[in-house]
Amino acid sequence: MANAMLLPVLISFLILPFSALALTQDFCVADLACPDTPAGYPCKPGVGAGDFYYHGLATAGNTSNLIKAAVTPAFVGQFPGVNGLGISAARLDIAVGGVVPLHTHPAASELLFVTEGTILAGFISSSSNTVYTKTLYKGDIMVFPQGLLHYQYNGGGSSAVALVAFSGPNPGLQITDYALFANNLPSAVVETVTFLDDAQVKKLKSVLGGSG
Amino acid sequence: MANAMLLPVLISFLILPFSALALTQDFCVADLACPDTPAGYPCKPGVGAGDFYYHGLATAGNTSNLIKAAVTPAFVGQFPGVNGLGISAARLDIAVGGVVPLHTHPAASELLFVTEGTILAGFISSSSNTVYTKTLYKGDIMVFPQGLLHYQYNGGGSSAVALVAFSGPNPGLQITDYALFANNLPSAVVETVTFLDDAQVKKLKSVLGGSG
Amino acid sequence: MANAMLLPVLISFLILPFSALALTQDFCVADLACPDTPAGYPCKPGVGAGDFYYHGLATAGNTSNLIKAAVTPAFVGQFPGVNGLGISAARLDIAVGGVVPLHTHPAASELLFVTEGTILAGFISSSSNTVYTKTLYKGDIMVFPQGLLHYQYNGGGSSAVALVAFSGPNPGLQITDYALFANNLPSAVVETVTFLDDAQVKKLKSVLGGSG
Amino acid sequence: MANAMLLPVLISFLILPFSALALTQDFCVADLACPDTPAGYPCKPGVGAGDFYYHGLATAGNTSNLIKAAVTPAFVGQFPGVNGLGISAARLDIAVGGVVPLHTHPAASELLFVTEGTILAGFISSSSNTVYTKTLYKGDIMVFPQGLLHYQYNGGGSSAVALVAFSGPNPGLQITDYALFANNLPSAVVETVTFLDDAQVKKLKSVLGGSG
Amino acid sequence: MANAMLLPVLISFLILPFSALALTQDFCVADLACPDTPAGYPCKPGVGAGDFYYHGLATAGNTSNLIKAAVTPAFVGQFPGVNGLGISAARLDIAVGGVVPLHTHPAASELLFVTEGTILAGFISSSSNTVYTKTLYKGDIMVFPQGLLHYQYNGGGSSAVALVAFSGPNPGLQITDYALFANNLPSAVVETVTFLDDAQVKKLKSVLGGSG
Amino acid sequence: MANAMLLPVLISFLILPFSALALTQDFCVADLACPDTPAGYPCKPGVGAGDFYYHGLATAGNTSNLIKAAVTPAFVGQFPGVNGLGISAARLDIAVGGVVPLHTHPAASELLFVTEGTILAGFISSSSNTVYTKTLYKGDIMVFPQGLLHYQYNGGGSSAVALVAFSGPNPGLQITDYALFANNLPSAVVETVTFLDDAQVKKLKSVLGGSG
């Protein structure tokens, strides 16, 4: 081929699709300043490589708290590049004796990958009320189906760390204790809908800062 | 456990996710003042319990009309809380002798639940042109697959009422007669595409307020 | 038009699409004898009008039990006609003092329509831990977003009845108490992941028939 | 690079993913002998290039019939390669004076591309009952949103041909006349739900081979 | 029926749904002036028949270029009416000896319909690395599954034309050569990730206007 | 409350939903012995905790090959528990000087999390042909939008390891070099659709074991 001659026409050909396709959507980095929609945030203009990168999971979360654990999210709110891509992540740090309490993700399934230590994990099915539990070591993965109650706690003598991936950019996190005892849901209602004793409800309301 | 000592750390733990997850999308109440999108309306800020509640189906619709029936919608336009949730509702009131004429919902399947009276309902499949009909009494349900022609009429001696649920927040409602005879679609075109006689078309155009 | 002459050709035209389109899928009534798939059950052959009709919600559920309530499902397992149609239903009967305990539907949003009595209902968001509650009277509707904890209880002096519609054919139902106390999840694990006291856990395990 | 040395290791590397990924699903050609599912047919084993190719639209349909038109489908039932791919096609032949009568596709939007002649086409919206019509010449395209009533007829002095693409592998085709007059739906019901006169209904029932 | 008497009530009935359903979404023509969302552009107000019509594929693309071919898109950026409808189109003109180079559509499957000439087309599966090729004549269709590498070139002695439909409104178009050689991706990186020789990479970078 | 008295009725209540909901689908572990469907494999009966657990990513892949890298998949074919859950995973091992060559995943977006070493990664957009690259260190994450060309290579002096999560259970993996040079696609066709020189194509065909 005589490249020198072909150069001008080829470039003219290739430049054409460039402009014609400028509105093509390969991705849609979230513009968090706009209102969300049911399918995710509107796309931000002027995207760069940094929008597809997140450093926030590189540092261990602070586990100096009651549950001796920390969940560091990389959901669309923290990592706008995942908007519309059907995926997000989080880092789990669980100190010795620590626990991520019973919770659900209303809007995504979860895949957990242990990078350090030992984690005991389980979920409960809604159809047969069966409990599925595993002891997970470094390199093991476990999947938790969308919307089902599950938990993780440290099962070893050293800190545990896991990377968690979700099947959506905004999985949500509903901790059962937090939903029941850390808000203004009246104790009488909690007792009615859970059969817990009044003293138990009031004790946890007090610990978790709830009122009513 | 010594709750008094644990209180501060637990609260600090629990307050953290609160702010970190503030952008999580559990729901997306429609902001009807914004332009719609293919996935539904943008989310309105400042949501309250009233946004998930609708009173408009509590009152019977006015059936003093030709069809002796009324459809009262609780679609996203009337009930913004269903935006993005894949569901909506309507109330059907059909007086004695009344009818909901042949129609489709282009964007949802329908589930009908009779709460009063007797309703004769049917739909027609597109593949085999088969008619599926049932006489429905109080407490019966029937499902009408998305996009197929169907109808309901009162089959008893007293008023009939039904709650209708849809598999989407914005199901649409295309009444065949209304589409053919209540607009400016020229009579000649109607005749060409339906094989109806000219007199029949002009008669219904006249009744339904169409022109052309 | 001279119908007599046109008849043969038109029929020949219309018979053609009939066979050509015989494989068209207007609906897909579940063949429950086949294994399920992620999108629902395979389609059953030989469908009739009865497949789109369900009588099981016409009768009140039996509320002579601890919770004084009954949930009667019309999910795909009971009502195969909803397979693949993105909708299903249930009937709620709540006697005076009765309650549908705290629960989630992992796979659908819920729309509740009160047909008799008074129901107090609420759900809790995961993002802000806010409680959204309403007192619902006959004719009122309320929507509960997918996967979020919610509850309903009778708030009046007479029986309450509601029709519930779901945004999917197989919404699931995970009652928190049932998941924690009615299976073999060890008490020690329950306590670790919920912060409930040992006595409380053992008491409810005993009541609900759980072991461990 | 010294290719001769690298050859064995590279091949061993590349052969590995081959077997590991053998279950990867790039496509899912329909096995029409299996029952359909809500997401399409199970995948047929032993696929070849011919499965992604269809010759059936190359020949003009027979327009020697009342409507002087023919619709030749390339839906999943005729062209199994489109199964699961969200697309299908059809060929439209419309002789002079021919018409594709008023119809809907319950499960897909339609994109029409005129390859010969002149076609008058229109669709009617459900929300505002507006009619959208265009005269289409060779090379023009028009899109018809899912589930809405539409029609096409020859608007010129020569045969018209169009390629039609659909946004799903199994769009369905519900011709309104056919649904009303070519089956056993009783005339009285047709009249009740359409307001058509008895004589008109019986005339078209007779022409289209319906009973009742 | 006494139409004269019924007219007023029927109109009042029919006008009611008109306003009540004014927010119903039958379609959502793209407002390209708004930011895109993961589900497509916000809906433009004030839609007319012209929004569902596109004339841009009626004229042959200019094939006086190196590849002797032209792709004329009717994606949402050119044809806003397809927004949210799951379909779009393009026209392919391939002169004698012309080629549409190896490429993928990241966001849609493709259905190709030959309207003139002969096209050799093929795609490569990711699971088994199998090549599927066909020689396509006028009237033939071929389907290319989403995201897989494929190509088309003129296999005859006259110009070839095809209409291409896509299973989404914004399919994207990633030409492998263009991605590797027409931007600032450094030659060393290209060589590392493709095993191409340095001279080959620099030659094509020069031809295609790339730098680095 | 007097638990002893309440016990029998509560159990009877709770046992009821158990059987009624036995067909509820919380998850759908793949039965790989059945044919796949467009939505994933049919569900296997008799599921246990082991079905949601996978050990195969715990061991480093063998990087003693030309690319000095290994991709160990945990797709549905290896890890049936992810079937229908919208997520899967893989492990990346890249020795010093190693590379995961240019490739796409036709059916999923990818989220990469570095657990050891330094990885240089990049992807190329289809709309603007822009290259987005980052140097990733331990703990960093990067997201690669569905279907776009991307690559990863070791950018440091020690082995690199990453966990990769995908937004679907069956993402596919199409390595460009493998698609072009490791099968029977004739060299002449490769040259026509890539503009590569004949010597270059034949050299890589020879290295990668392709024919033609």
Side-chain angles (χ1 to χ4, degrees), chain B residues 32 35-41 64-67 69-71 73 75-78 101 106 170-173 175 178 182 203 206-209, chain E residues 1 3-4 6-15 17-26 28 34 37 39-44 83-84:
Chain B
L32 297 176
D36 204 358
T37 78
Y41 287 89
S64 299
N65 52 42
L66 174 67
I67 61 166
V71 180
F75 298 173
V76 68
Q78 295 80 42
N170 213 345
L173 167 58
I175 301 171
Y178 192 43
K203 179 176 172 186
S206 162
V207 173
L208 290 165
Chain E
M1 287 188 186
N3 287 336
L6 296 172
L7 184 59
V9 277
L10 182 54
I11 286 183
S12 79
F13 162 76
L14 287 162
I15 285 169
F18 181 100
S19 59
L21 299 173
L23 293 163
T24 293
Q25 187 190 76
D26 286 325
C28 177
C34 289
T37 78
Y41 286 90
C43 314
K44 141 183 167 176
N83 191 49

Side-chain angles (χ1 to χ4, degrees), chain B:
Chain B
M1 287 186 185
N3 287 335
M5 286 178 63
L6 297 171
L7 186 57
V9 277
L10 182 54
I11 286 183
S12 79
F13 162 75
L14 287 161
I15 284 169
L16 271 173
F18 181 100
S19 59
L21 299 174
L23 293 163
T24 293
Q25 187 190 76
D26 286 326
F27 41 73
C28 177
V29 176
D31 188 342
L32 297 176
C34 289
D36 204 358
T37 78
Y41 287 89
C43 314
K44 142 184 166 175
V47 165
D51 289 300
F52 302 98
Y53 161 85
Y54 189 59
H55 183 65
L57 304 191
T59 312
N62 184 354
T63 59
S64 299
N65 52 42
L66 174 67
I67 61 166
K68 297 178 180 161
V71 180
T72 309
F75 298 173
V76 68
Q78 295 80 42
F79 184 16
V82 296
N83 190 49
L85 296 185
I87 201 158
S88 63
R91 175 187 175 132
L92 231 57
D93 289 280
I94 317 182
V96 175
V99 60
V100 181
L102 193 75
H103 65 283
T104 64
H105 305 286
S109 292
E110 170 182 337
L111 190 148
L112 182 145
F113 176 81
V114 178
T115 58
E116 287 180 34
T118 302
I119 292 178
L120 294 174
F123 73 87
I124 306 157
S125 74
S126 86
S127 59
S128 61
N129 209 33
T130 305
V131 184
Y132 298 90
T133 60
K134 288 300 274 185
T135 302
L136 305 168
Y137 303 97
K138 184 175 177 174
D140 286 349
I141 58 177
M142 184 168 178
V143 70
F144 305 90
Q146 180 168 346
L148 297 185
L149 284 165
H150 61 287
Y151 59 83
Q152 292 104 7
Y153 59 90
N154 194 322
S158 62
S159 290
V161 183
L163 177 71
V164 177
F166 296 97
S167 66
N170 213 345
L173 167 58
Q174 182 158 51
I175 301 171
T176 309
D177 264 28
Y178 192 43
L180 286 173
F181 308 120
N183 49 27
N184 63 352
L185 184 61
S187 295
V189 173
V190 175
E191 293 156 29
T192 297
V193 302
T194 63
F195 303 106
L196 293 174
D197 292 335
D198 180 63
Q200 177 73 85
V201 170
K202 293 217 161 103
K203 179 176 172 186
L204 284 169
K205 281 239 168 214
S206 162
V207 173
L208 290 165
S211 60

Side-chain angles (χ1 to χ4, degrees), chain A residues 1 18 21 24 26-27 47-50 52-55 57-58 74 79 81-82 85-89 109 111 113 115 123 125-128 132-134 136 138-143 145 148 163 165-167 195, chain F residues 1 18 21 24 26-27 47-50 52-55 57-58 74 79 81-82 85-89 109 111 113 115 123 125-128 132-134 136 138-143 145 148 163 165-167 195:
Chain A
M1 286 186 187
F18 180 101
L21 299 173
T24 293
D26 285 326
F27 42 72
V47 166
F52 302 98
Y53 161 85
Y54 189 58
H55 183 64
L57 304 192
F79 184 17
V82 296
L85 296 185
I87 201 160
S88 63
S109 292
L111 190 148
F113 177 81
T115 57
F123 73 88
S125 74
S126 86
S127 59
S128 61
Y132 298 90
T133 59
K134 287 301 274 184
L136 305 169
K138 183 175 176 173
D140 287 349
I141 58 177
M142 185 168 178
V143 69
L148 297 184
L163 177 72
F166 297 98
S167 66
F195 303 106
Chain F
M1 287 187 186
F18 181 100
L21 299 174
T24 294
D26 286 326
F27 41 73
V47 166
F52 302 98
Y53 161 85
Y54 190 59
H55 183 64
L57 305 192
F79 184 18
V82 297
L85 296 186
I87 200 158
S88 63
S109 292
L111 190 148
F113 176 80
T115 58
F123 73 87
S125 75
S126 85
S127 60
S128 62
Y132 298 90
T133 60
K134 287 300 274 186
L136 305 169
K138 184 176 177 173
D140 287 348
I141 57 177
M142 185 167 177
V143 69
L148 297 184
L163 176 73
F166 296 97
S167 66
F195 303 106

